Amino acid sequence: MIERDVIVIGAGAAGLFCAAEAGKRGRRVEVLDNAKKVGRKILISGGGRCNFTNMYASPANFLSQNPHFCKSALSRYTQWDFIALVEKYGIPYHEKTLGQLFCDNSAKDIVAMLLAECEQSNVVVTTRTEILRVEKSGTGYHVETSKGLYHCESLVIASGGLSMPKLGATPFGYQLATQFGLSIEPTRAALVPFTLHDHDKAVLAEISGVSVDVYASCNDTGFREQMLFTHRGLSGPSILQISSFWEPGNTLQINLIPDSDAHSLVAEWRIKNRESLLSTCLSEFFPKRLTSALMQINQWENKPVKQYTSNELACIADSLNEWQLKPNGTEGYRTAEVTLGGVSTGQLSSKTMMAKDVNGLYFIGEVVDVTGWLGGYNFQWAWSSGWAAGQVV
Ligand code: FDA
């Protein structure tokens, strides 16, 4: 039997960070992962440059059944703490937009930093290890694996969510939580592109690759960023953001000209652009392909402005400022960046991440029902929750 103080299951962002913190306290720690490589999501994140945190991260950027749960960890280990660590390692980085910090060179820098931290704290990291069974023992946990039987005092579950099964995502964390009597908030894919109904897709797939600055909203929340038409539907930052707030059957409202009041605009057209074709007026705002797709999808005739009735122009204005689009669904876990829902926070300590009724069992990172917006928030949750557990395991 292999004896450890702490076993961490999952060598991703949260698991490696927590392990290093625990190791610094002199705990004998081993991280076990079933994948061939550690930190695979870190490596592909941010287009290979890892958006490792956000300068403006605050509890308001997270979704959870209990929006207060993330406050303690986020305030005790902040984005500035992580930025200081990145600077200590001399990793060059930059702000891309909206406080989002990316590596200048490669996400590999972040993985190398986490592994260096683990090495300095004598943490053992073991990959290609299947977890076969976990049982409570009198003084801790027995963890039966394809590499042998372990015993530990503290067991940390950092196995992530369900997004991107190709990268090794499994429901392990939820199953283990259920085994120990914890409940799971329903999970669904988030930060994910939308698919469209056939009639919309037939027109909009034609403009795949076109991107436009919009304000996309749903269920009283909205985001002003780019929207990208794809050959399957809609993507881009504003769409990924709003997908976390969308529920099946909901309609999206998309303001296609967020800096203009479309009603004043069409009133102006009626005076100044009476002889102009509608497509000419619209092309002031949109690329040609998008203009013709919008005309087709809304069945607007391409005639001079003067030939439209005021009601027709008012309808056009409504569609420009509040285009109503009902997605067919999302692309699901295959392409989602994160999983909404997860281990219910009601049964975890927000200070330590330990299950309140199961001594020595901890849940950190994405497996917990805390989901960040797009923009480095999810990694910040991994660091903050990993740090919180790392101080006590
Ligand atoms: P993570 O998924 O990182 O790690 C879980 C680990 O557990 C994995 O190593 C896995 O192999 C292992 N595991 C799973 N099941 C197991 C089992 N049964 N046995 C043993 N091990 C098991 N966030 C952000 O803030 N900025 C960004 O730029 C991006 N970009 C991004 C791009 C893409 C394409 C994706 C899919 C996701 C992002 N994210 C992101 C989200 C971010 O990657 C995610 O929130 C964190 O990686 C979560 O960290 P965890 O450590 O909780 O899980």
Side-chain angles (χ1 to χ4, degrees):
M1 179 135 64
I2 309 162
E3 196 63 47
R4 301 278 181 244
D5 296 325
V6 183
I7 296 252
V8 178
I9 298 179
L16 291 173
F17 198 64
C18 174
E21 285 297 316
K24 281 181 199 164
R25 295 173 31 242
R27 302 286 275 163
R28 289 168 307 158
V29 186
E30 183 155 347
V31 187
L32 304 174
D33 200 297
N34 60 357
K36 286 183 208 152
K37 255 172 113 175
V38 304
R40 291 218 291 177
K41 276 196 187 157
I42 304 174
L43 292 171
I44 60 153
S45 69
R49 288 217 163 88
C50 185
N51 175 196
F52 55 81
T53 191
N54 192 296
M55 280 159 42
Y56 309 120
S58 87
N61 307 113
F62 294 85
L63 288 88
S64 170
Q65 281 302 311
N66 176 5
H68 303 293
F69 181 81
C70 61
K71 288 182 178 170
S72 170
L74 289 173
S75 67
R76 286 162 63 230
Y77 189 85
T78 70
Q79 58 271 40
W80 304 110
D81 295 316
F82 193 76
I83 293 166
L85 183 67
V86 167
E87 287 179 354
K88 185 177 137 196
Y89 276 80
I91 297 173
Y93 66 92
H94 61 278
E95 180 190 357
K96 195 167 170 192
T97 171
L98 304 169
Q100 301 168 7
L101 301 186
F102 285 74
C103 296
D104 285 357
N105 299 325
S106 163
K108 285 180 192 162
D109 290 349
I110 298 292
V111 174
M113 178 185 85
L114 294 172
L115 288 176
E117 286 281 290
C118 282
E119 201 181 323
Q120 280 165 35
S121 326
N122 299 314
V123 172
V124 180
V125 179
T126 309
T127 52
R128 300 174 194 257
T129 307
E130 297 296 326
I131 313 298
L132 304 173
R133 206 154 49 95
V134 174
E135 269 178 7
K136 186 110 181 72
S137 75
T139 52
Y141 294 87
H142 281 129
V143 181
E144 193 183 328
T145 78
S146 54
K147 298 263 170 78
L149 181 62
Y150 287 81
H151 180 261
C152 60
E153 245 175 58
S154 299
L155 179 63
V156 183
I157 308 304
S159 53
L162 296 170
S163 61
M164 300 230 167
K166 261 193 185 165
L167 289 184
T170 73
F172 174 84
Y174 309 131
Q175 288 163 354
L176 193 104
T178 308
Q179 179 190 332
F180 284 95
L182 280 81
S183 52
I184 307 296
E185 296 299 341
T187 56
R188 70 185 156 85
L191 300 183
V192 62
F194 285 118
T195 56
L196 296 174
H197 290 287
D198 286 346
H199 49 94
D200 292 326
K201 194 171 134 185
V203 178
L204 296 174
E206 295 283 314
I207 54 168
S208 131
V210 171
S211 177
V212 57
D213 174 25
V214 302
Y215 181 81
S217 54
C218 187
N219 291 323
D220 302 325
T221 307
F223 293 90
R224 168 90 188 254
E225 278 185 80
Q226 292 289 309
M227 172 174 81
L228 172 72
F229 294 92
T230 71
H231 56 278
R232 276 190 293 267
L234 297 177
S235 188
S238 65
I239 291 299
L240 298 181
Q241 295 281 31
I242 205 62
S243 72
S244 300
F245 296 83
W246 178 87
E247 289 181 30
N250 287 166
T251 298
L252 301 176
Q253 287 81 44
I254 301 171
N255 187 342
L256 292 161
I257 46 172
D259 289 324
S260 309
D261 169 20
H263 285 273
S264 315
L265 190 75
V266 295
E268 209 179 294
W269 291 347
R270 292 193 81 185
I271 300 164
K272 294 190 190 153
N273 303 68
R274 289 180 53 74
E275 306 296 332
S276 304
L277 290 173
L278 179 63
S279 61
T280 312
C281 296
L282 291 174
S283 60
E284 195 188 316
F285 295 92
F286 308 119
K288 211 171 162 193
R289 286 163 69 206
L290 176 54
T291 299
S292 45
L294 285 175
M295 302 216 22
Q296 201 182 330
I297 216 157
N298 290 295
Q299 297 176 335
W300 296 331
E301 261 181 80
N302 197 15
K303 54 189 185 185
V305 169
K306 66 179 182 193
Q307 290 179 19
Y308 282 94
T309 64
S310 14
N311 270 352
E312 284 170 335
L313 284 174
C315 286
I316 291 172
D318 285 342
S319 303
L320 292 174
N321 271 160
E322 212 172 284
W323 182 28
Q324 309 278 332
L325 191 63
K326 195 170 184 173
N328 185 21
T330 72
E331 289 187 5
Y333 292 118
R334 190 178 60 81
T335 60
E337 283 201 11
V338 283
T339 304
L340 261 177
V343 178
S344 173
T345 57
Q347 290 149 312
L348 302 179
S349 154
S350 61
K351 192 161 179 231
T352 64
M353 304 293 139
M354 192 178 86
K356 287 175 185 164
D357 297 329
V358 194
N359 201 31
L361 180 63
Y362 299 78
F363 292 85
I364 57 171
E366 196 181 318
V367 75
V368 178
D369 171 34
V370 172
T371 308
W373 293 4
L374 183 80
Y377 303 101
N378 284 295
F379 279 135
Q380 187 55 46
W381 172 246
W383 318 134
S384 296
S385 59
W387 183 90
Q391 309 313 305
V392 292
V393 287

